[in-house]
Amino acid sequence: MHKFLLALLAGTLVGCLDSEERVIEEKSQGLVYCAEANPVSFNPQVTTTGSTIDIIANQLYDRLISIDPVTAEFQSELATDWKVSKDGKSVTFTLRKDVPFHTTAYFTPSRTFNADDVIFTFSRLFDVYNPYHFVGDASYPYFQSVGVDQLIRKIVRVSDHQVRFELFNAESSFLANMATDFAVVLSAEYAMKRKAAEQEEFFDQYPVGTGPYIYREYRRDNLVRFYRNPDYWKHDVALEQLVYDITPNGTARIAKLLTKECDLAAHPSSAQLSILAQREDINIEKETNLNVGYWAFNTERPPFDDIRVRKALAHAIDTDKIMQAVYYGNGTRAESMLPPTSWAFNAQASMPSFDPDLAKKLLAEAGFSDGFDMNIWAMPVSRIYNPNARKMAELMQSDLRKVGVNVSIVEYEWNTFIQRIGEHRHDSVLLGWAADTPDPDNFFSPLLSCSATFSGKNPANWCNPKFDLLLAQALDTTDLNMRKKYYADVQSLIMDELPLLPIAHGLRFQASSADVDGIELGPFGAISLANARKK
């Protein structure tokens, strides 16, 4: 069987190669990463798409602070120090000196990083007078969904290397949000150059950061190329270049890894892991990641606005079969929206069990004794939280047919898929979330808050004032026991209303050639290749 699969992988490769568009150049000096999707943008402020964040966040940019993956403590990056006022309503950052921005074919900086860059970057989120606030439809999905754009009152320039964020109210997750992959610092000087040339629309597509790699080129459906930043402030960068080979098909990605066209392949499936584990020239990295895969219902669209229908659909699904056929033992069945490793995790006794008879009864009570037609939108890419959404959708389709519900499965190219989900065109969708911080709010506000609904990032299209109030109460206190209590109520409310059904928490896998070292996978946040090198 394994020989057959290897032959299949090699055969798939033949159709993928184009001699004129090969991405491997000087293998000893560069690294080729087989990525699953085109980047939506080159600015993390304007997207929450995991495949895009993996490509750009830690490679092109730096943040003011980050979170230690082991201790979960904040650590310095572009900010060397930070102080929170006694009332929690202001945070002062002392900035690192002599950090250069990238020099590219389209921009040469005249100064190093300073307070103006921080003010420009974050005022863009909330200040209508910032010249870039409305560029890209003024959509900053992560920050809008967690309310950061409404939290910051103003940003004060204390000196060249010190800024003070003044907040409307104290919020316990503010620093955690400033440490996410979305909170990268941009160049104000570069932005003003684009504005002077009336080219604001290019700002988010031709990036300038302070990170370990410099943007070189992007060819849609083909590749993204970065070069080494020779002036990186943190350390020397070993790789001369970093190339992302855009390969949506998971089998093709592994085929390219096996034939050495790629050095690193994103998200190998559970079925492929057993093959790869037998090869001495391939390394498999595994990381327990804070994430959740879920089935979300469009609660503003009948009949999914009826809680009885949502619960009926949840009871019709055999989750044990999904765990076996989709996760292959490399995931944990969800007992809540939060994974068990979260400090606020609270197992939910009311998680729907597999009970087709109860499903039929609830459908009859809702007036659907004869069932109805619906669709399930399935992600076209493999992610940590759902390695095979198409397979999952097919299993659900079979289960739902037995209770009289006829399911059509809908798929689109990834970026189109995300756009149309944001427009709420779906009946239901298989999606998920990988946390950016260990703060529990990161699982709730970005996905289910009213703000997330308005920004198009709430796939359940669900706005519940009680839910938002609980989140606000949890953020208004630093008392850990009180926060646990509020988040326990939040988890219970999700199960009572069931805007989405948590299904599983997956493990993150990365497959790479054995001669590659320094790949950094953490329990939250995107992959970092800042320290990657060839042995």
Side-chain angles (χ1 to χ4, degrees), residues 58-361:
N58 292 308
Q59 281 48 269
L60 297 175
Y61 299 100
D62 293 300
R63 295 154 283 173
L64 291 174
I65 57 176
S66 61
I67 300 175
D68 188 288
V70 177
T71 66
E73 295 178 345
F74 296 117
Q75 54 190 13
S76 63
E77 295 292 342
L78 292 178
T80 57
D81 187 45
W82 52 97
K83 290 183 172 61
V84 181
S85 63
K86 289 183 179 180
D87 63 4
K89 292 184 179 181
S90 73
V91 182
T92 302
F93 292 95
T94 300
L95 307 180
R96 192 177 298 277
K97 296 179 180 179
D98 301 321
V99 175
F101 278 99
H102 296 159
T103 297
T104 70
Y106 46 85
F107 176 67
T108 300
S110 66
R111 62 166 177 80
T112 55
F113 160 72
N114 67 25
D116 295 334
D117 303 303
V118 178
I119 294 170
F120 164 76
T121 297
F122 295 101
S123 69
R124 181 181 178 182
L125 305 177
F126 66 91
D127 184 358
V128 296
Y129 295 105
N130 183 300
Y132 280 81
H133 177 70
F134 293 106
V135 174
D137 299 323
S139 178
Y140 310 101
Y142 178 78
F143 295 106
Q144 290 169 339
S145 64
V146 299
V148 167
D149 61 322
Q150 301 296 315
L151 177 66
I152 302 173
R153 186 167 67 88
K154 64 179 178 178
I155 308 174
V156 178
R157 190 186 202 278
V158 180
S159 67
D160 279 357
H161 291 92
Q162 197 168 68
V163 293
R164 184 173 68 250
F165 284 72
E166 296 186 359
L167 312 178
F168 283 107
N169 53 271
E171 192 169 279
S172 56
S173 67
F174 175 71
L175 284 176
N177 286 322
M178 294 297 287
T180 65
D181 292 326
F182 309 103
V184 300
V185 177
L186 312 172
S187 167
E189 183 185 15
Y190 173 53
M192 294 309 107
K193 178 184 176 182
R194 286 292 190 191
K195 182 179 183 300
E198 298 183 347
Q199 297 176 339
E200 291 95 336
E201 71 276 11
F202 293 140
F203 179 72
D204 294 328
Q205 297 302 322
Y206 292 89
V208 168
T210 59
Y213 297 97
I214 298 172
Y215 174 90
R216 180 59 180 260
E217 66 173 318
Y218 167 45
R219 285 182 262 164
R220 184 176 176 82
D221 299 324
N222 189 350
L223 63 86
V224 179
R225 191 189 308 275
F226 300 151
Y227 277 5
R228 177 175 65 89
N229 179 2
D231 301 315
Y232 188 44
W233 61 273
K234 191 180 282 190
H235 56 71
D236 289 338
V237 178
L239 299 173
E240 287 293 332
Q241 66 172 313
L242 175 59
V243 176
Y244 292 87
D245 182 337
I246 309 301
T247 310
N249 182 276
T251 301
R253 288 199 299 274
I254 300 305
K256 289 183 177 183
L257 179 68
L258 294 175
T259 56
K260 308 303 180 185
E261 186 173 356
C262 287
D263 301 296
L264 181 63
H267 307 295
S269 71
S270 298
Q272 294 163 346
L273 291 173
S274 59
I275 301 171
L276 298 173
Q278 298 179 28
R279 301 198 38 137
E280 293 184 358
D281 60 337
I282 301 293
N283 287 336
I284 303 294
E285 293 190 67
K286 178 174 71 173
E287 177 66 45
T288 301
N289 191 277
L290 290 169
N291 66 77
V292 62
Y294 56 78
W295 183 24
F297 308 105
N298 188 345
T299 58
E300 287 294 308
R301 175 177 292 188
F304 311 101
D305 56 346
D306 189 326
I307 180 60
R308 295 169 297 183
V309 171
R310 300 198 295 270
K311 288 189 174 181
L313 297 176
H315 282 294
I317 300 305
D318 188 347
T319 306
D320 287 339
K321 187 163 56 177
I322 289 173
M323 296 304 300
Q324 180 179 2
V326 176
Y327 292 89
Y328 290 88
N330 292 314
T332 303
R333 181 172 177 170
E335 296 181 87
S336 171
M337 187 71 178
L338 289 178
T341 49
S342 170
W343 57 260
F345 169 74
N346 192 282
Q348 299 299 296
S350 58
M351 280 288 295
S353 59
F354 178 48
D355 191 338
D357 290 335
L358 178 56
K360 291 177 182 178
K361 179 182 176 183

Side-chain angles (χ1 to χ4, degrees), residues 421-460:
I421 291 297
E423 296 167 353
H424 304 302
R425 299 191 190 185
H426 57 290
D427 291 339
S428 71
V429 59
L430 293 173
L431 267 175
W433 182 256
D436 306 288
T437 79
D439 194 293
D441 183 73
N442 194 258
F443 275 89
F444 302 124
S445 290
L447 297 179
L448 289 171
S449 66
C450 293
S451 295
T453 300
F454 304 145
S455 66
K457 297 303 176 182
N458 181 332

Side-chain angles (χ1 to χ4, degrees), residues 458-524:
N458 181 332
N461 203 10
W462 182 69
C463 176
N464 186 307
K466 181 179 178 181
F467 180 83
D468 275 24
L469 177 60
L470 287 169
L471 293 183
Q473 290 171 322
L475 292 173
D476 283 344
T477 179
T478 57
D479 185 310
L480 192 62
N481 289 327
M482 286 300 297
R483 295 194 78 197
K484 284 183 178 180
K485 177 186 178 300
Y486 288 127
Y487 287 129
D489 292 341
V490 164
Q491 292 167 79
S492 296
L493 181 58
I494 292 173
M495 298 319 303
D496 289 343
E497 295 293 323
L498 214 67
L500 55 76
L501 175 68
I503 294 173
H505 312 288
L507 295 174
R508 175 158 190 167
F509 292 95
Q510 207 79 30
S512 63
S513 296
D515 63 346
V516 175
D517 199 8
I519 300 168
E520 297 174 26
L521 288 177
F524 37 81

